[in-house]
């Protein structure tokens, strides 16, 4: 893979990887509804493998083209681009949740209690559900990853701008250790355990670009080394999960080599000739952030266990039922994403037109 060709097609190739990762997210959250059902063992195993790939791969690809930026302006832009839209769309989620659950249960008081739990979860930015006394604090669904990407990027950029820190990796590894140790804490404001571990993923993504490791030809020993490390990390994460220590910080740290392999495979596929499928996933990848937004509204607003048992689908065989729900969810999320992206584009054009007219008026 020549570097000049990679630079030329860099956005499309990495967008393809992000688009596939988004599909893996939706698949993961759908197959969980069929956990423990006969005949779904292979699909659940596939889900475990996808779950260990997409989070590190997304972070690695996000940092691959990173260059140090002024801390103040970069932090401001990250908050503006991630957290503010997140908060705005969570308000939409609260409204959807309240209406849908009132329609289903006809109990306005319980609907308001659910909205209160979601509000508290949103303000805390928590990625697990927990109770403070008898007060239920909901998690914020897939949006934990948007929060993680935002704040880990801010920390990573700050470290990269510190000239006094000569060895960046030595400064990052203690953060990773703290993140792993704190991974099982119930109350984690703004997902700090995943945020701390994600900084390592961003650093590795940046170093992959600097060393050209992903794009150069690998030797047989390097293939064995990477696949071996990936296998060890994957099974280590599984063993830790089986012992009851499952958390996103564990997967981000131990399954980082899985993400590197996913990037390598994705780049190999992405550099080939485009077809309808690859073009679609590349488009999804361009709107990744908005897909996560739409997915959050979809997940937190609709009880998918109830949808799975909808009488039209419930009469179908379990596997057909699963495929139907997966396809519907994917269509809903993709459509919602494209609508949000279109509205954002129109809003940007309107603001630019207003600003340009002001400038012309001032000049006159």
């Amino acid at each position: 893979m020549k570097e000049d060709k990679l630079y030329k097609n860099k956005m499309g190739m990495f967008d393809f990887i992000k688009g596939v990762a988004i599909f893996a997210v939706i698949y993961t959250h759908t197959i969980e509804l069929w956990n423990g059902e006969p005949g779904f063992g292979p699909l659940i195993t596939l889900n475990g493998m996808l779950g260990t790939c997409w989070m590190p791969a997304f972070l690695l690809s996000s940092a691959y083209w990173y260059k140090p930026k002024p801390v103040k302006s970069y932090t401001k832009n990250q908050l503006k681009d991630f957290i503010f839209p997140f908060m705005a769309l969570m308000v939409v989620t609260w409204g959807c949740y309240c209406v849908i659950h009132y329609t289903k249960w006809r109990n306005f008081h319980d609907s308001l209690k659910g909205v209160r739990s979601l509000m508290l979860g949103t303000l805390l930015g928590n990625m697990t559900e927990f109770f403070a006394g008898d007060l239920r604090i909901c998690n914020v669904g897939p949006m934990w990853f948007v929060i993680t990407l935002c704040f880990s990027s801010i920390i990573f950029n700050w470290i990269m701008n510190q000239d006094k820190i000569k060895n960046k990796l030595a400064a990052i590894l203690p953060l990773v250790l703290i993140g792993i140790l704190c991974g099982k804490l119930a109350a984690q404001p703004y997902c700090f355990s995943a945020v701390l571990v994600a900084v390592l993923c961003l650093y590795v993504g940046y170093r992959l670009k600097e060393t050209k490791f992903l794009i150069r030809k690998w030797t047989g020993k390097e293939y064995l080394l990477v696949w071996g490390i990936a296998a060890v990390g994957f099974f280590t994460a599984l063993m830790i999960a089986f012992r009851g220590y499952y958390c996103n910080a564990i997967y981000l740290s131990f399954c980082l080599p899985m993400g590197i392999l996913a990037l390598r495979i994705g780049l190999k596929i992405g550099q080939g000739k485009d077809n309808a499928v690859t073009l679609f996933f590349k488009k999804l990848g361009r709107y990744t952030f908005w897909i996560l937004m739409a997915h959050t509204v979809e997940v937190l607003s609709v009880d998918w266990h109830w949808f799975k048992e909808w009488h039209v689908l419930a009469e179908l065989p379990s596997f057909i039922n699963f495929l139907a729900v997966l396809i519907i969810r994917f269509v809903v999320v993709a459509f919602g994403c494209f609508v949000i992206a279109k509205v954002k584009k129109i809003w940007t054009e309107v603001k630019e037109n207003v600003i340009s007219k002001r400038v012309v008026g001032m000049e006159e």
Side-chain angles (χ1 to χ4, degrees):
M1 194 185 308
K2 293 184 178 179
E3 188 172 12
D4 57 348
K5 186 175 182 180
L6 179 61
Y7 273 97
K8 184 178 179 180
N9 302 308
K10 65 179 182 179
M11 294 310 295
M13 294 166 69
F14 279 87
D15 284 341
F16 174 77
I17 294 169
K18 291 180 180 180
V20 173
I22 284 298
F23 178 78
V25 176
I26 298 171
Y27 173 83
T28 295
H29 290 148
T30 303
I31 194 63
E32 287 174 352
L33 303 182
W34 276 265
N35 274 344
E37 292 198 21
F40 281 84
L43 291 177
I44 292 171
T45 301
L46 175 63
N47 172 54
M49 296 183 68
L50 289 175
T52 59
C53 288
W54 79 263
M55 292 187 289
F58 192 96
L59 288 164
L60 290 168
S61 60
S62 297
Y64 196 85
W65 306 102
Y66 165 82
K67 291 182 180 179
K69 302 173 182 67
V71 173
K72 186 176 181 180
S73 61
Y74 182 80
T75 302
K76 182 180 178 181
N77 288 335
Q78 288 293 102
L79 294 175
K80 182 181 72 174
D81 293 340
F82 286 91
I83 300 303
F84 294 163
F86 158 60
M87 290 296 182
L89 277 178
M90 285 307 297
V91 173
V92 175
T93 302
W94 301 339
C96 292
Y97 176 94
C98 191
V99 171
I100 290 172
H101 281 257
Y102 176 76
T103 302
K104 180 180 177 182
W105 300 111
R106 298 294 178 181
N107 190 321
F108 188 66
H109 179 70
D110 285 347
S111 296
L112 288 181
K113 284 176 63 178
V115 171
R116 182 188 66 173
S117 296
L118 285 175
M119 285 182 176
L120 291 171
T122 303
L123 295 175
L124 286 175
N126 203 64
M127 66 181 176
T128 57
E129 183 177 308
F130 69 100
F131 286 84
D134 61 347
L135 186 62
R136 182 184 175 206
I137 311 296
C138 283
N139 62 18
V140 291
M143 288 308 302
W144 76 267
F145 191 69
V146 172
I147 294 173
T148 296
L149 182 60
C150 175
F151 287 104
S152 63
S153 298
I154 291 173
I155 296 172
F156 175 64
N157 184 64
W158 181 85
I159 291 174
M160 298 302 289
N161 273 281
Q162 302 305 307
D163 294 331
K164 294 181 179 179
I165 304 177
K166 301 300 181 183
N167 191 330
K168 310 297 185 184
L169 182 59
I172 292 172
L173 288 178
L175 299 180
V176 176
L177 180 60
I178 294 172
I180 293 173
L181 293 176
C182 297
K184 285 294 289 183
L185 292 179
Q188 288 189 35
Y190 287 90
C191 316
F192 67 83
S193 71
V195 167
L196 295 179
V197 176
V199 176
L200 175 64
C201 298
L202 295 174
Y203 177 78
V204 172
Y206 173 74
R207 291 296 299 162
L208 287 174
K209 168 66 165 44
E210 294 291 301
T211 59
K212 303 179 182 178
F213 182 71
L214 277 181
I215 60 175
R216 65 176 172 80
K217 187 176 180 179
W218 288 4
T219 64
K221 289 182 179 180
E222 285 174 328
Y223 270 109
L224 288 174
L225 178 63
V226 175
W227 279 99
I229 294 175
V232 170
F234 176 72
F235 285 108
T236 301
L238 283 183
M239 292 300 295
I240 293 174
F242 284 143
R243 291 180 176 273
Y245 199 79
Y246 168 84
C247 67
N248 290 319
I250 292 293
Y251 273 115
L252 283 176
S253 52
F254 287 96
C255 295
L256 191 53
M258 297 284 289
I260 295 175
L261 286 176
L263 272 190
R264 175 77 174 188
I265 295 170
L267 289 176
K268 286 289 186 180
I269 297 173
Q271 70 172 336
K273 292 183 179 180
D274 280 322
N275 53 48
V277 175
T278 57
L279 285 173
F280 176 76
F281 278 106
K282 285 181 179 181
K283 192 170 185 180
L284 284 183
R286 283 187 218 113
Y287 300 136
T288 298
F289 172 70
W290 296 107
I291 282 189
L292 286 169
M293 290 285 195
H295 189 35
T296 297
V297 175
E298 173 243 359
V299 168
L300 295 182
S301 301
V302 182
D303 184 346
W304 286 100
H305 285 276
W306 166 72
F307 184 80
K308 168 190 168 186
E309 296 164 1
W310 187 35
H311 68 279
V312 174
L313 294 176
E315 296 175 358
L316 299 173
S318 294
F319 183 71
I320 303 300
N321 193 337
F322 160 70
L323 287 180
V325 174
L326 176 63
I327 292 171
I328 291 172
R329 294 184 76 166
F330 187 67
V331 170
V332 168
V333 171
F335 178 77
C337 157
F338 293 144
V339 169
I340 293 170
K342 188 67 174 179
V343 170
K344 181 176 181 289
K345 183 179 179 181
I346 293 173
W347 175 244
T348 301
E349 291 175 353
V350 169
K351 286 197 300 183
E352 289 176 351
N353 288 334
V354 170
I355 292 173
S356 62
K357 287 180 181 179
R358 287 178 180 174
V359 172
V360 171
M362 290 174 64
E363 290 177 349
E364 292 177 352

